[in-house]
Amino acid sequence: MSEGPGEFAERLRRFRERAALTQEELAERAGVTAKAISALERGERRRPYPHTVRALADALKLDDADRDALSAAARPSAAVAAEGPAVPLIGRERDREELVRLLGEHRLVTLTGPGGVGKTTLAVAVAGAGATVVELAPVAEARLVVPTLARALGVRQSGAALLDAVVAQLGSREHLVVLDNLEHVLDAAGDVAELLTKAPRLTVLATSRAPLRIRAEREYPLAPLPVPGSSHPDDVARSPAVQVFLDRARAAGREVALHGNAAELAQICRRLDGLPLALELAAAHARFLDPAALLQRLDQAVQSPRSRDLPERQRTMRATLDWSHDLLTSAEQLLLRRLSVFAGGFPLDAAEHLQPGAFAALGGLVEQSLVVAEDGRYRMLEPVRQYAAARLAEAGETAVVADRAADFFVDLAADVRPGLETAEQRASLDRLAAEHGNLAATFAHLIAARRHGDAALLAADTWMYWALRGNGLEGLGWVTRIPEDGLDDEECAARAVALAVLRYATGDIPGIVAPAATAAEAARAAGDDARLAEALELRASAALFLGDPQAAALAEEARQVARETGNPWIEAHTAQVEGRRLLRLGDLDGAAAALADAERLARKAGAPFTIATALNARATLARARGEDDVALELLLEVVDLAAAVRTTWNLAYALPDLGALAAERGQAELAAELFGAGAAAAAVTVAVPPDPELAGRWLNTARDEVGEEAFGRAWERGRHVLPADVPALAARISRGPSRRTSGTSGRTRS
């Protein structure tokens, strides 16, 4: 059963009708919007600020008795607070402390941030009792800000001298005024500046989606609440965003248990980007939806009003963002909806590709807290992006804008591709990693739009990113969705090379053969020698792993083509195939010569990954010769190079050997950590240790020496070591004698 409009709503309506005023006429007299009057009379806003009540009483020309009656009806408690429920200040302790400090140093502090981030709640909490809170959301024009402030302070004078009357009312006492929701009346900045000049003991805390941009101002951007870094229950429990969700769900009448729901709660908070209003709107549905069901209907939940005491503009995320959208220029509105096609952020040049001359409009969106600028890139909070995407769909522009965005990222990948084979490899991988979400969105759009040729070329230009950064399965998923039918020879070769490499990266060695052969045939037909060299090298690698006697001939052909095209990168990899082949045959001298050549070519190319693979092969040779100290030095450089490129591929090969080397030197606990780190690396990059039997023997030795429990703890520590931290871990391996090369039994304790 729904509640009635309430006593204040009824009294206001009766007084207005008695005065023979329409809602629009009363709004004009009181200096508020007609929408605000309508919301008050319907009971949608039940807690108007005292100054709003005084403005209405003045406009209605109420006598003292009626004025007191109207004020009493609007006073559910003695506290002056913002409209809406008294939401606990969770996760804002540091922000509160910083604001208090800033207010002690600056006379105007503007708390900025997107709609729903919790600016009003924090400002009112910081202001406390004794401050004057001035709600400006209902105020229609900037010229009415000073009159609204005057009413909040109890000043009844009007006319040209009103600002001076406000100054006189403030006198010489210290006073804090909260100007809440200034974003739509920013032209009042001059009045605020004059007021601060004339009232030297006045301090103003403003909340706005954009700063005032006056000299006295100190801006404090308020970020959304931190979301869980993982789905581990401990991380989820510590997250302020989760704590707010659980608190609001409890207030809605449902105690949501963290146990068993951690993953869903983490996803909900990430999807809502930690926006307190979005969390509150979603949590209101927890009364009848468990977290898993709510996650499936999250977009509907934040658009379905369930809190009657929130202002109308905050009943849904759509309403909140409509308020912001209406304040934008037409160019800003256009850019806002176009930017929704980006996933996970975007660079400036991507925005300018969608809308030439977008720089000014983008600055406006950042100013209005609808786009976040961070580390040279830009992004929308997810609820804002979804809102903008809906606007884009309503404008009928989704397909056209998505096409333009796809063109940008196809070109970007082609531009970045050459650097992946050189000393620019780290920077090139980082560039693609920054666009991970956009690359996935581009693949999805190209495939849906049947632009299969462009998708194939994108796959060929980005396979090294997917493989080296541990995303091989995701990359393979995209490539397998690209149909081969209808591709020309160049596109067919591109798709087949990407398919072969990503099967290699995910451990499907037999699966390399067919696409590598297809790639070679198509590349020959297209006259594309660079792609032909790649295809032949992949075919040679597969032959080596599968024991195919064609490995030597394929590697030699690949090397010849690479040499003719001036590609030391492919030359280096084919030389490695030959070196590993000779090593398998027991020709250690021949292997040494081939692998030395591979290292020379790799260093000429400059790509850290290629150098590391050559050094990994040389370390295997050194181990075969019993030169463990040489192997250790080579592997230490491997892990340094892997850390530089941020790849797990080389680590998956190097770490089992490093673990064995540590165990051979009696460092059993360190060995366990290294073996654990190797297992974690192999989990995202499928690889087989050069000598799995030897690695396994020393792993068991380490377990025996420290005991199962200590070994397990060390293993778990190793599993959580980041690639960047592996060099420091490996550097702890002793340079002392090895039990393996000294002839001492591996079971002997040192």
Side-chain angles (χ1 to χ4, degrees):
M1 185 166 154
S2 63
E3 300 176 31
E7 183 183 357
F8 180 84
E10 295 288 352
R11 285 186 182 275
L12 177 61
R13 181 183 57 77
R14 287 202 304 270
F15 288 148
R16 178 180 61 77
E17 290 174 349
R18 188 179 71 186
L21 296 173
T22 65
Q23 289 183 347
E24 290 74 14
E25 289 168 339
L26 176 57
E28 185 176 357
R29 288 189 184 188
V32 299
T33 62
K35 193 174 182 180
I37 299 295
S38 176
L40 287 168
E41 291 192 356
R42 291 197 307 270
E44 291 182 355
R45 294 175 53 205
R46 294 172 177 264
R47 297 183 183 180
Y49 284 98
H51 65 268
T52 302
V53 178
R54 285 195 289 271
L56 292 169
D58 290 345
L60 291 165
K61 299 181 179 178
L62 299 182
D63 59 25
D64 289 344
D66 287 341
R67 185 183 292 269
D68 290 343
L70 188 65
S71 296
R75 197 182 305 122
S77 68
V80 176
E83 289 189 62
V87 180
L89 201 64
I90 298 172
R92 294 298 191 195
E93 295 78 9
R94 191 169 298 176
D95 292 311
R96 183 174 186 166
E97 290 174 6
E98 182 64 11
L99 273 178
V100 169
R101 184 188 69 78
L102 290 174
L103 288 167
E105 299 174 357
H106 304 274
R107 296 185 54 222
L108 170 61
V109 177
T110 303
L111 187 58
T112 60
V117 81
K119 301 182 295 294
T120 296
T121 301
L122 178 59
V124 171
V126 168
T132 300
V133 181
V134 185
E135 182 203 15
L136 295 172
V139 172
E141 299 175 32
R143 65 182 178 82
L144 299 175
V145 169
V146 172
T148 305
L149 172 60
R151 285 193 295 273
L153 292 168
V155 177
R156 297 202 178 186
Q157 181 177 336
S158 61
L162 183 58
L163 191 142
D164 291 332
V166 169
V167 172
Q169 177 77 1
L170 291 169
S172 60
R173 62 191 174 97
E174 290 187 355
H175 196 71
L176 174 63
V177 168
V178 177
L179 298 179
D180 190 33
N181 293 300
L182 260 173
E183 57 268 1
H184 63 301
V185 286
L186 292 175
D187 287 345
D191 290 336
V192 175
E194 185 178 357
L195 187 62
L196 289 167
T197 300
K198 291 184 173 181
R201 306 295 297 280
L202 172 66
T203 300
V204 174
L205 173 58
T207 74
S208 178
R209 299 180 193 188
L212 280 80
R213 296 296 182 218
I214 58 178
R215 284 177 295 174
E217 182 181 40
R218 171 64 185 268
E219 183 182 357
Y220 185 82
L222 186 62
L225 294 168
V227 299
S230 74
S231 295
H232 190 283
D234 290 346
D235 287 341
V236 176
R238 283 192 291 265
S239 165
V242 173
Q243 292 167 17
V244 166
F245 179 88
L246 295 177
D247 177 81
R248 293 293 83 207
R250 194 176 303 118
R254 172 78 173 272
E255 190 75 35
V256 178
L258 183 65
H259 180 71
N261 293 310
E264 289 80 7
L265 290 170
Q267 283 186 268
I268 287 170
C269 292
R270 289 192 204 107
R271 282 265 304 276
L272 299 178
D273 247 320
L275 274 178
L277 177 62
L279 294 168
E280 181 173 353
L281 292 170
H285 294 74
R287 184 176 179 182
F288 57 90
L289 291 175
D290 63 31
L294 177 58
L295 185 60
Q296 296 299 316
R297 299 164 177 81
L298 197 56
D299 293 346
Q300 296 167 265
V302 297
Q303 301 305 339
S304 176
R306 298 198 65 80
S307 299
R308 294 188 182 91
D309 57 349
L310 283 171
E312 187 176 6
R313 69 180 187 281
Q314 293 185 333
R315 296 289 180 85
T316 66
M317 282 306 301
R318 173 86 190 203
T320 296
L321 293 167
D322 277 343
W323 170 270
S324 294
H325 181 270
D326 292 347
L327 300 176
L328 302 176
T329 66
S330 58
E332 290 166 349
Q333 291 176 346
L334 179 62
L335 183 60
L336 178 73
R337 62 179 185 257
R338 288 180 173 178
L339 295 178
S340 68
V341 298
F342 296 129
F346 55 91
L348 175 59
D349 53 349
E352 290 178 325
H353 182 82
L354 295 190
Q355 188 165 312
F359 182 76
L362 182 60
L365 295 178
V366 172
E367 186 99 332
Q368 289 288 335
S369 303
L370 289 167
V371 170
V372 179
E374 51 189 17
D375 300 327
R377 289 175 61 80
Y378 303 87
R379 72 180 182 95
M380 290 178 174
L381 299 178
E382 186 57 20
V384 177
R385 195 192 68 78
Q386 290 179 11
Y387 170 86
R391 286 276 187 175
L392 188 69
E394 290 164 7
E397 300 172 340
T398 301
V400 172
V401 176
D403 253 351
R404 294 184 69 181
D407 290 342
F408 177 86
F409 290 110
V410 167
D411 290 345
L412 181 148
D415 290 342
V416 169
R417 174 67 174 87
L420 293 170
E421 299 178 2
T422 70
E424 299 299 313
Q425 188 174 62
R426 159 75 179 270
S428 300
L429 287 169
D430 287 350
R431 183 75 179 88
L432 293 175
E435 307 301 347
H436 183 109
N438 288 316
L439 292 174
T442 299
F443 271 121
H445 175 73
L446 292 174
I447 293 167
R450 305 185 65 80
R451 292 175 56 183
H452 300 144
D454 287 335
L457 296 174
L458 179 64
D461 288 333
T462 59
W463 64 254
M464 198 180 305
Y465 163 68
W466 302 106
L468 295 194
R469 287 291 172 88
N471 301 305
L473 282 172
E474 183 180 351
L476 182 61
W478 290 120
V479 177
T480 54
R481 288 178 58 188
I482 303 169
E484 190 174 356
D485 294 344
L487 300 181
D488 64 24
D489 289 329
E490 180 188 8
E491 294 160 352
C492 181
R495 176 190 178 276
V497 161
L499 182 59
V501 173
L502 291 169
R503 282 181 175 170
Y504 186 2
T506 52
D508 180 9
I509 303 302
I512 301 174
V513 178
T518 297
E521 182 181 353
R524 283 193 176 96
D528 187 345
D529 287 343
R531 199 80 73 200
L532 175 61
E534 284 184 320
L536 292 170
E537 190 278 327
L538 285 164
R539 182 69 184 84
S541 294
L544 172 66
F545 280 109
L546 296 172
D548 185 336
Q550 294 185 71
L554 288 165
E556 180 55 33
E557 184 182 2
R559 186 167 183 180
Q560 182 62 35
V561 174
R563 188 180 293 120
E564 290 171 359
T565 58
N567 190 332
W569 182 76
I570 288 290
E571 277 196 83
H573 281 283
T574 54
Q576 287 181 48
V577 172
E578 177 63 7
R580 288 183 183 276
R581 186 184 71 82
L582 293 171
L583 183 56
R584 286 191 173 200
L585 293 174
D587 182 356
L588 301 189
D589 290 341
L595 293 177
D597 193 31
E599 181 184 350
R600 176 186 64 79
L601 289 164
R603 293 192 186 278
K604 179 181 177 182
F609 168 74
T610 304
I611 298 170
T613 57
L615 296 179
N616 255 329
R618 284 196 57 211
T620 302
L621 172 64
R623 294 276 281 159
R625 285 177 156 175
E627 299 170 348
D628 284 358
D629 288 343
V630 172
L632 177 58
E633 295 307 318
L634 290 167
L635 291 171
L636 289 176
E637 186 176 358
V638 168
V639 296
D640 279 340
L641 290 165
V645 180
R646 299 178 183 171
T647 181
T648 55
W649 186 309
N650 302 120
L651 297 181
Y653 284 94
L655 281 164
D657 261 355
L658 286 167
L661 286 167
E664 289 166 13
R665 286 159 169 74
Q667 296 173 284
E669 193 164 320
L670 174 59
E673 286 192 62
L674 291 164
F675 282 126
V684 292
T685 303
V686 178
V688 179
D691 191 341
E693 184 179 342
L694 182 63
R697 184 166 75 247
W698 285 103
L699 183 150
N700 290 328
T701 297
R703 179 185 282 114
D704 290 346
E705 292 188 354
V706 298
E708 193 69 45
E709 187 175 339
F711 182 91
R713 288 196 301 269
W715 177 280
E716 280 304 310
R717 286 198 303 274
R719 281 181 56 82
H720 291 91
V721 169
L722 298 174
D725 298 326
V726 168
L729 184 66
R732 289 164 49 196
I733 297 175
S734 168
R735 302 305 196 276
S738 164
R739 290 181 287 181
R740 184 174 78 99
T741 55
S742 65
T744 307
S745 168
R747 299 287 180 179
T748 303
R749 297 177 185 271
S750 59

